[in-house]
Amino acid sequence: MSRSKQHAMTLEEALAIEARARDGLLDESLPGTRDVIAQAHRVHQVAYMWGSVRAEAAPPRIRWGIAFGVLMVLVTLGGFALTFLASR
């Protein structure tokens, strides 16, 4: 089937298909099911890239990990700066 004859999937359809695939409700052994799921994922990603979908908030564990990483970088840079200044 050529790309121009394919049904243009809406974002709502794509999100519904992705949710059903994530929940295991779609039979991926049927011909074409994986292609539809892949198309839904592409539609979702394009909408996300163009700002049509709000970004999901990162879980608190990830946010704390990022904050801890930034803090460690700042402490390391501060230590290097103090060592450099003390040698002068």
Side-chain angles (χ1 to χ4, degrees):
M1 178 179 269
S2 72
R3 199 152 178 73
S4 62
K5 293 186 180 189
Q6 286 182 349
H7 170 67
M9 188 180 299
T10 66
L11 179 58
E12 290 77 23
E13 291 171 330
L15 293 174
I17 290 169
E18 282 186 321
R20 285 176 178 82
R22 188 176 41 250
D23 294 340
L25 300 175
L26 298 179
D27 185 6
E28 294 188 29
S29 65
L30 294 173
T33 303
R34 289 186 183 165
D35 294 335
V36 171
I37 294 170
Q39 182 185 7
H41 185 67
R42 280 192 301 275
V43 168
H44 183 189
Q45 292 304 312
V46 168
Y48 176 77
M49 288 175 54
W50 287 100
S52 298
V53 178
R54 276 191 53 212
E56 295 86 12
R61 186 174 182 181
I62 293 175
R63 285 183 289 194
W64 282 108
I66 291 171
F68 181 73
V70 169
L71 179 65
M72 292 306 296
V73 168
L74 292 175
V75 167
T76 302
L77 291 175
F80 286 145
L82 289 176
T83 303
F84 177 74
L85 293 174
S87 67
R88 293 197 153 233

